[in-house]
């Protein structure tokens, strides 16, 4: 009692010395005093229930209260008398009485529980913080008191209550504002105490178990949440000498927990007198728990002997040191399985998963809270890199899905926060755990496969995961191809082979699609291809010496990894050759410049050391060969290892892990000799020479064989091993501890000299882990990728094929609409990426796969197909997806158009497509016409198809077909559609509307050239008729439909007509020339061709001739076809000419037009339209050109000669011919304006030739049987001949005109008059008269010009000869009186003109061949009296001369 009073007085004195002011946020002093008073009352009330606490009898028989009661009452008396602010009061004053109760072993569980509650309440009032007086000692006192709590156990229930109260108080200590006052050792003590309660709770109630685990979890979270605030100081390390050597040697040592000698469950070696009186060891039940407690697993200083410096760190305010110990303790819990001899892979339900799962959960929480801060603390990072990950590799193969799931969660967190420090660990985890468990061939159960697949998919959902796997592993020559293995696993796992679709299949699909969607999101953010990084293989380059300047800069590391990937691909090929034949393999490597032309030992050694996939048996045989070069390679191979600070057995494990030790003794000796030499060079602190290393290496190999060979019955003991190695160290013995350590290491972990075949890490053995940790020091840094598409092209090329196949198979087997939607998300992602990288083959494969799912392609009856299509959600989704891809990424579809077109054709056959699928957009502003009405007509033509004369087709379209269903005869059972069928039809129609199929063709002008040509080719191929000629109705419809679409895309791509024209023309030509009867197909071909020409002529002058030449196909139509369509053809040609006459300039084009018009002259129905078109061209000479003049004249002549229709048309045609001479006059005048004389001459010559053709044309019409036409033709000929004056016809042309035209015409008319009857040629006499008059008039009008001709005499004699013949002609059997009268009169007039012009004169000395003499010889036969009438003065002389 006196002690308590003295302590209180001291506390009061301390309070009086304090002058600190109360800060904001503290509770009211009186309120706090009342709360504490209430807690005192509660404790006293519980104590008074037991009479022993009421009165205590001392030895002197004086009554007095127990000191615990006295201290509480003393506190009650003082609490309201304190005047200072509460935070200036020493907390020990009001906490000590409660702590005394807690520590007393006389109190029962109820009293201890109430006292613990009081302490908990005070701690949670936030009255104690870092500013509180004596806070450090107070917090230490609280922790010490609670962790050394003693009480009498009266019943199990009260005991559990006390344990829960202890957990509450300890958690409150760590969470309170004053927690920073705790030292590292107290934090460890708190965690130890909580962990002991966790294990003790195993025999208690479930509530206590849950609260204990929750408290432990919260403690870890609270402690490690401060890691990010810790500085990287010397306190971070408890033992800074920890190295890889220690980590490797840990394989030889017992677990650290085994060296923590703690009795009776005391969890703190420094506070040996503080323990839970209830005892822990006796309360454990399970084998695992017993092992934990028997081994005294507790937080200590890593099992090492403590030193003053370490003790000082543990007494400092808590930080990284305690976190290191706690984390190490948590990792050590995972070694429990190892100590009890339980293999988690071979144990199923019998293995208690509780302890490792609990430990993994705590570790995961620590990593979640610590995050990237672990990187700043080397010791923590080392624990994660080595101990934690090695345990994870073991527990990852656990049969428990819970353990596996937690392991994967930990690795996912580590990947996010610390992947740059865990490159090889991540590779090993995926190779040895995930990729192993996810495949049933390795014996994993279905739950294991599912858990592993879920974890893998979680990784795939990380946007940069696969990029980093590819860059860090697939592009590293020393690592396995993790990316490719993951991709192959996902694609294979998605295939439901002979099984229904399971969750694993869907998970694998999710993973693939997540990867694809990640790539799709990165589109446009990086380089398109890695092909920019060219690798020069013209000369040898040491591939293992490739360096990267900056792994943080994509400009540096992207070319680096691309080069390494290129090297790796070639090395894999080289390794394959090497594995088949070593010599040929090396030759191949030299040929590909992977090895120098002259082999050197170092390059070969590096190839054997660093190339993944080599056969380790072959490596061992090669290295052990006695050949001098092989021996040099062996020593260079050994020099690639760094054995610094390694024990001999560890170094030997590492060395033998890289190849298989050959079986021949001499080879073994050479190999071990090279190893011993290298090891002795780097580790001389124990061994005297390299011979000692060699002998000990042999001894280790023998021990390994002896101990791990099942055929050896009597095993070598430790003593045997030590005796076998006496005096090998330069004549001295090696330290016994050294040999003993090696012995136990070999016995515990076998050196496997027969590696498993294949790549990667099929099983993580201790030796392989040592090799991995060694390799970690030399591996290139982990490349962290950003969200750009730096390597996506290369990855997509690898992944696209398997992904498309996997998605297709899953979709084919999917019955869930959600799964189908996932598949389509994948399809769209693949399509988007393929289009971006211009991978046409991938996109074509995707389209082909999708088209296979459209059930409407099945050969079902039309009505059943529509219903099936409407009811099949999968088919409708596939259809919509196909056409969405076609509309969005059509630029990069090539052969896929064939598949898309197959779907379109099937839809067309079912009548599901719109009536007008591919509407040609007509820009009326581009069509220049002068008449608004004409413009309207042209536009309406372009938007409408010509009517067909063939048999009307059945109605098409969804509604019409549906109407047929409604109105079928009642005798058919299915004539009335059901409600389900109605819904199916509606769904089918809505799907087609969403597809926007017409946009493929109307928007084809935006397609790239290659894709457009492929689309056109697909339409052409689909529209080709069967070669056997047996055309069924559906084939005919298909061909017509394809032709319509082909014409539509041709019209919509007028700017690129050059790409399409040859194929389109050839297709139409084949149709036209192979059709012998009218049909819709040839109709579409003919009028489609006309429509193309009509639309494109105004815009494409460069191919105008080709377009117009194509119309010559119409001339090749079979007679039956031509007769059926020529009226419509003529109308279309007429519209074409009227709209585009100004754009037709070449003779070839006009030849085609006039040829088509000429044919119409013989067709009654089309003649009117044809002649109207010709009149449009020739009227007023507006569109008559030198290039089309002769053609138009010939066409007009044919209309003039045509007997189809009325005579007036022929007369008008002759008028057009006659009027055309004015154009010749105009052109002649224009020609004279040409600057060059040579050009003028050529042009005039051409004009003369055209005039002569006109004359010939009229001459032919002058022989027509119809009198009106014949006579009008003569008058027109007269105009033509007399109009030649302004044309300046050359002399030779006049001669041709008379010889070939005029004289021929006169002779022909004369012959007709004599040979044909009046019935055949009505009034032929009148025609002869008219012809003579015209001949005379022309002669008179042109006599001056003609007289200048050298051959005028010949010409004149020809005229006289014809007059003489006409005098003699007999019409209807007698001579014509009119001709008898007319000929002399016309001759007289002519002679008078010749006389007056001085042309006809008597010449002296004539030999009888002069013009004068020849003239009168002919005149005498016509009218002898004309000479005297014309030349009366010469009549006498002429008569005498004759005599």
């Amino acid at each position: 009692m006196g002690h308590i009073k003295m302590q209180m007085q001291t506390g009061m004195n301390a309070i009086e010395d304090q002058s600190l002011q109360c800060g904001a946020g503290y509770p009211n002093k009186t309120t706090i005093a009342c709360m504490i008073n209430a807690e005192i009352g509660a404790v006293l009330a519980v104590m008074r229930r037991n009479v022993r606490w009421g009165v205590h009898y001392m030895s002197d028989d004086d009554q007095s209260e127990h000191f615990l009661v006295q201290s509480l009452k003393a506190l009650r008396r003082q609490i309201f008398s304190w005047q200072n602010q509460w935070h200036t009061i020493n907390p020990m004053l009001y906490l000590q009485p409660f702590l005394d109760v807690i520590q007393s072993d006389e109190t029962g569980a109820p009293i201890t529980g109430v006292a613990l509650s009081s302490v908990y309440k005070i701690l949670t009032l936030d009255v104690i913080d870092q500013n509180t007086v004596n806070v450090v000692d107070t917090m230490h006192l609280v922790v010490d008191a609670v962790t050394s709590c003693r009480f009498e156990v009266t019943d199990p229930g009260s005991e559990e209550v006390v344990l829960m109260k202890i957990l509450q108080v300890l958690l409150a200590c760590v969470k309170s504002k004053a927690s920073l006052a705790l030292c590292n050792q107290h934090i460890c003590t708190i965690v130890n105490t909580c962990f002991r309660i966790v294990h003790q709770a195993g025999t208690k109630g479930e509530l206590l178990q849950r609260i204990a685990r929750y408290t432990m979890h919260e403690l870890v979270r609270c402690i490690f949440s401060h890691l990010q605030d810790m500085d990287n100081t010397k306190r971070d390390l408890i033992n800074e000498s920890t190295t890889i050597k220690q980590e490797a040697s840990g394989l030889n040592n017992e677990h650290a927990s085994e060296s923590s000698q703690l009795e009776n469950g005391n969890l703190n070696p420094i506070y040996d007198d503080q323990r839970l009186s209830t005892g822990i060891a006796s309360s454990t039940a399970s084998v695992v728990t017993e092992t934990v407690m028997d081994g005294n697993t507790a937080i200590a200083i890593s099992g090492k002997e403590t030193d003053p410096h370490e003790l000082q760190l543990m007494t400092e305010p808590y930080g990284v040191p305690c976190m290191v110990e706690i984390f190490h303790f948590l990792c050590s819990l995972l070694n429990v399985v190892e100590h009890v001899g339980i293999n988690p892979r071979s144990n199923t339900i019998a293995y208690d998963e509780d302890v490792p799962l609990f430990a993994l959960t705590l570790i995961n929480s620590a990593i979640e809270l610590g995050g990237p801060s672990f990187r700043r603390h080397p010791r923590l990072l080392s624990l994660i890199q080595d101990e934690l990950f090695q345990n994870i590799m073991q527990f990852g193969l656990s049969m428990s899905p819970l353990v596996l799931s937690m392991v994967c969660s930990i690795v996912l967190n580590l990947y996010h926060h610390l992947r740059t420090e865990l490159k090889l660990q991540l590779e090993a985890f995926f190779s040895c755990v995930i990729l192993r468990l996810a495949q049933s061939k390795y014996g994993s159960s279905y739950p294991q496969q599912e858990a592993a697949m879920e974890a893998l998919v979680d990784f795939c959902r990380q946007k940069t995961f696969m990029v980093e796997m590819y860059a860090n592993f697939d592009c590293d020559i020393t690592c396995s191809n993790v990316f490719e293995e993951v991709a192959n696993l996902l694609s294979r796992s998605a295939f439901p082979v002979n099984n229904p679709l399971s969750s694993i299949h869907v998970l694998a699909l999710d993973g693939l699609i997540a990867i694809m969607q990640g790539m799709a999101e990165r589109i446009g953010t990086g380089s398109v291809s890695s092909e920019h990084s060219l690798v020069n293989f013209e000369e040898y380059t040491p591939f293992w010496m490739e360096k990267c300047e900056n792994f943080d800069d994509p400009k540096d590391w992207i070319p680096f990894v691309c080069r390494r990937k290129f090297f790796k691909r070639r090395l894999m090929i080289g390794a394959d050759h090497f594995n088949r034949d070593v010599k040929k393999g090396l030759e191949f490597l030299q040929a590909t410049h992977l090895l120098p032309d002259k082999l050197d030992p170092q390059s070969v050694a590096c190839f054997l050391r660093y190339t993944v996939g080599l056969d380790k048996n072959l490596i061992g045989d090669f290295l052990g060969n006695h050949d001098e070069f092989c021996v040099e390679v062996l020593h260079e191979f050994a020099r690639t290892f760094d054995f610094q600070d390694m024990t001999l057995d560890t170094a030997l494990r590492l060395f033998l892990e890289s190849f298989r030790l050959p079986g021949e003794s001499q080879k073994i000796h050479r190999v071990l000799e090279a190893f011993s030499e290298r090891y002795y060079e780097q580790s001389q602190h124990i061994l005297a020479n390299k011979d000692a290393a060699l002998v000990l290496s042999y001894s280790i190999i023998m021990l390994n064989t002896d101990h791990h060979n099942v055929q050896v019955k009597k095993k070598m003991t430790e003593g045997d091993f030590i005796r076998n190695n006496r005096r090998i160290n330069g004549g001295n013995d090696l330290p016994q501890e050294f040999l003993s350590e090696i012995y136990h290491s070999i016995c515990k972990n076998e050196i496997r000299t027969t590696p498993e075949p294949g790549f990667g890490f099929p099983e993580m053995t201790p030796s392989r882990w040592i090799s991995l940790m060694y390799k970690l020091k030399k591996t290139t840094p982990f490349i962290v990728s950003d969200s750009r598409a730096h390597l996506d092209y290369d990855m997509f090329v690898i992944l696209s094929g398997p992904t498309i196949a996997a998605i297709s198979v899953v979709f084919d087997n999917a019955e869930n609409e959600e799964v189908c939607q996932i598949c389509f998300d994948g399809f769209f992602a693949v399509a988007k990426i393929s289009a971006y990288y211009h991978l046409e083959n991938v996109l074509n494969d995707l389209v082909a796969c999708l088209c296979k799912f459209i059930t409407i392609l099945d050969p079902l009856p039309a009505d059943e197909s529509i219903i099936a299509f409407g009811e099949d959600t999968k088919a409708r989704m596939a259809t919509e997806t196909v056409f969405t891809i076609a509309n969005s990424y059509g630029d990069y579809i090539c052969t896929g158009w064939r598949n898309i077109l197959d779907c379109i054709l099937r839809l067309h056959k079912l009548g599901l497509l719109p009536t007008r699928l591919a509407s040609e957009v007509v820009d009326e502003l581009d069509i220049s016409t002068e008449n608004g009405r004409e413009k309207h007509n042209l536009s309406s033509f372009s938007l409408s198809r010509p009517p067909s004369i063939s048999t009307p087709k059945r109605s098409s379209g969804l509604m019409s077909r549906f109407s047929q269903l409604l109105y079928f005869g009642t005798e058919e059972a299915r004539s009335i559609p059901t409600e389900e069928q109605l819904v199916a039809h509606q769904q089918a129609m809505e799907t087609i509307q969403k597809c926007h199929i017409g946009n493929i063709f109307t928007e084809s002008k935006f397609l790239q050239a290659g894709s457009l040509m492929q689309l056109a080719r697909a339409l052409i191929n689909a529209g080709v008729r069967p070669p056997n000629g047996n055309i069924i109705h559906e084939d005919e419809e298909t061909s017509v439909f394809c032709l319509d679409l082909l014409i539509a895309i041709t019209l919509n791509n007028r700017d690129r007509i050059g790409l399409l024209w040859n194929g389109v023309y050839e297709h139409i030509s084949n149709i036209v020339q192979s059709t012998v009867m009218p049909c819709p197909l040839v109709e579409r071909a003919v009028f489609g061709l006309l429509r193309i020409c009509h639309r494109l002529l105004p815009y494409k002058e460069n191919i105008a001739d080709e377009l117009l030449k194509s119309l010559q196909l119409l001339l090749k139509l079979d007679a039956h076809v031509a007769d059926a369509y020529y009226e419509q053809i003529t109308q279309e040609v007429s519209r074409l000419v009227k709209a585009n006459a100004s754009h037709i300039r070449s003779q070839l084009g006009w030849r085609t037009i006039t040829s088509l018009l000429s044919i119409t002259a013989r067709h009654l129905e089309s003649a009117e339209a044809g002649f109207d078109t010709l009149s449009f061209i020739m009227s007023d000479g507006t569109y008559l050109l030198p290039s089309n003049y002769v053609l138009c004249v010939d066409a007009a002549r044919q209309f003039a000669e045509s007997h189809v229709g009325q005579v007036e048309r022929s007369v008008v045609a002759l008028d057009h011919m006659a009027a055309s001479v004015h154009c010749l006059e105009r052109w002649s005048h224009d020609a004279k304006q040409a600057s060059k004389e040579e050009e003028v001459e050529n042009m005039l010559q051409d004009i003369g030739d055209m005039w002569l053709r006109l004359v010939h044309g009229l001459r032919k019409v002058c022989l027509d049987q119809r009198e009106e036409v014949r006579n009008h033709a003569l008058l027109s000929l007269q105009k033509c001949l007399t109009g030649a004056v302004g044309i300046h016809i050359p002399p030779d042309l006049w001669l041709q005109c008379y010889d070939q035209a005029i004289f021929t015409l006169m002779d022909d008319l004369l012959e007709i008059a004599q040979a044909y009857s009046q019935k055949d040629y009505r009034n032929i006499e009148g025609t002869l008269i008219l012809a003579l008059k015209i001949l005379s008039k022309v002669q008179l009008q042109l006599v001056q010009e003609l007289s200048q001709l050298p051959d005028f005499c010949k010409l004149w004699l020809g005229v006289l000869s014809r007059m003489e013949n006409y005098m003699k002609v007999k019409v209807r059997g007698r001579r014509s009186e009119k001709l008898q009268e007319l000929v002399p009169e016309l001759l007289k007039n002519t002679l008078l003109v010749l006389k007056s012009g001085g042309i006809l004169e008597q010449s002296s000395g004539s030999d009888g061949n002069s013009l004068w003499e020849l003239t009168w010889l002919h005149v005498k036969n016509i009218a002898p009296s004309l000479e005297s009438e014309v030349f009366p003065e010469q009549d006498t002389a002429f008569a005498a001369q004759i005599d």
Side-chain angles (χ1 to χ4, degrees), residues 24-39:
Y26 289 98
N28 182 271
K29 182 181 66 174
T30 304
T31 302
I32 297 173
C34 291
M35 290 180 181
I36 295 177
N37 182 67
E39 295 303 319

Side-chain angles (χ1 to χ4, degrees), residues 339-405:
H339 295 308
V340 297
I342 298 177
N343 185 349
R345 288 171 296 155
S346 61
N347 193 10
T348 55
I349 307 303
Y351 169 59
D352 186 0
E353 66 184 14
D354 186 60
V355 173
L357 182 60
F358 179 57
L360 290 169
T361 304
L362 296 178
I363 290 171
N364 189 45
S365 296
I367 294 172
E368 287 175 345
L369 272 298
S373 301
F374 280 92
R375 187 183 294 109
R376 296 189 285 113
H377 306 290
R379 177 55 180 161
L380 284 171
L381 181 60
S382 177
L383 285 172
I384 292 174
Q385 289 176 323
D386 191 357
E387 186 173 356
L388 174 61
F389 240 106
Q390 188 176 11
N391 289 323
I392 281 177
M393 298 297 295
Q394 298 297 322
F395 279 95
L397 300 176
S398 169
M399 293 298 293
S400 168
L402 292 175
V403 173
L404 175 58
S405 178

Side-chain angles (χ1 to χ4, degrees), residues 832-1108:
K832 182 178 180 181
I833 302 168
S834 303
Y836 179 74
Y837 291 118
H838 301 179
L839 297 172
E840 291 87 355
N841 291 337
V842 176
L843 200 55
N844 292 331
D845 293 342
L846 174 61
V847 169
C849 287
L850 277 170
C851 290
K852 293 177 182 178
F853 296 115
I854 303 178
T855 57
I856 57 173
L857 296 179
D858 295 337
L860 296 174
D863 298 327
E864 294 182 17
S865 294
I866 296 175
I867 296 173
F869 177 64
E871 293 176 344
D872 193 338
T873 303
K874 198 183 299 184
R876 288 186 282 109
M877 293 177 71
T879 304
E880 190 173 344
T881 303
V882 166
F883 291 108
T884 301
I885 291 175
N887 280 305
S888 302
Y889 309 113
D891 279 342
Y892 309 102
I893 298 176
C894 294
T895 58
W897 286 121
R898 182 177 58 235
N899 305 98
I900 294 174
L901 192 58
D902 287 342
C903 299
I904 295 176
L905 292 177
R906 184 60 178 167
L907 291 170
H908 171 68
K909 291 177 181 178
L910 297 176
L912 289 173
L913 294 183
T915 304
R916 189 164 185 76
L917 178 63
S919 60
E920 304 91 42
V921 180
V922 176
D923 187 356
E924 296 185 359
L925 296 177
D926 291 340
I927 302 177
S928 56
T929 57
E930 297 179 359
N931 190 298
R933 178 183 58 80
E934 187 176 32
K935 184 174 184 178
H936 174 75
N937 292 337
L938 290 173
S939 178
S940 62
F941 154 72
S942 299
L943 290 174
S944 61
R945 291 191 176 92
S948 173
I949 65 166
S950 57
T951 304
K953 295 185 292 185
R954 60 182 175 88
S955 59
S956 61
L958 178 62
M959 296 312 296
S960 61
R961 185 176 299 282
F962 187 52
S963 299
Q964 293 175 7
L965 287 175
L966 291 175
Y967 294 105
F968 275 156
T970 55
E971 69 276 9
E972 297 187 16
R974 57 172 190 167
S975 59
I976 301 178
T978 64
E979 185 176 351
E980 290 77 9
Q981 291 174 335
L982 293 173
V983 173
H985 277 81
Q986 182 64 27
Q987 289 176 337
M989 184 172 64
E990 291 175 356
T991 299
I992 299 304
Q993 290 175 348
K994 292 177 182 178
C995 290
H996 303 291
I997 298 175
N999 290 351
I1000 295 175
F1001 306 99
T1002 57
E1003 301 298 322
S1004 60
K1005 55 189 172 185
F1006 301 113
L1007 290 177
Q1008 291 188 2
S1011 178
L1012 177 63
M1013 293 176 67
Q1014 290 288 345
L1015 174 58
R1017 187 173 294 117
L1019 286 168
I1020 292 172
N1021 293 336
V1024 173
R1025 292 186 292 186
N1028 56 13
N1030 297 328
I1031 305 174
I1032 61 176
H1033 184 68
E1034 286 192 357
D1035 290 337
E1036 180 80 8
E1037 281 192 343
T1038 298
S1039 299
V1040 170
F1041 181 72
C1042 291
L1043 180 60
D1044 285 344
L1045 295 179
L1046 181 63
I1047 293 171
I1049 65 169
T1050 304
L1051 295 175
N1052 284 320
N1053 287 273
R1054 66 188 186 192
D1055 295 331
R1056 298 185 292 177
I1057 185 63
L1059 297 174
L1060 304 173
W1061 177 244
N1062 289 335
V1064 173
Y1065 172 76
E1066 183 178 353
H1067 182 55
I1068 293 177
S1069 175
N1070 291 335
I1071 295 173
V1072 169
Q1073 297 186 56
S1074 63
T1075 305
V1076 296
M1077 293 298 292
C1079 64
L1081 180 60
V1082 72
E1083 175 187 353
R1084 289 290 202 279
V1086 168
F1087 296 107
L1089 181 62
L1090 287 166
R1091 189 157 61 253
I1092 291 173
C1093 293
H1094 176 73
R1095 287 279 300 278
L1096 298 184
L1097 275 176
Y1099 308 103
K1100 292 296 172 184
E1101 295 183 3
N1102 57 328
I1103 63 167
D1105 287 347
E1106 289 187 49
L1107 291 172
L1108 293 169

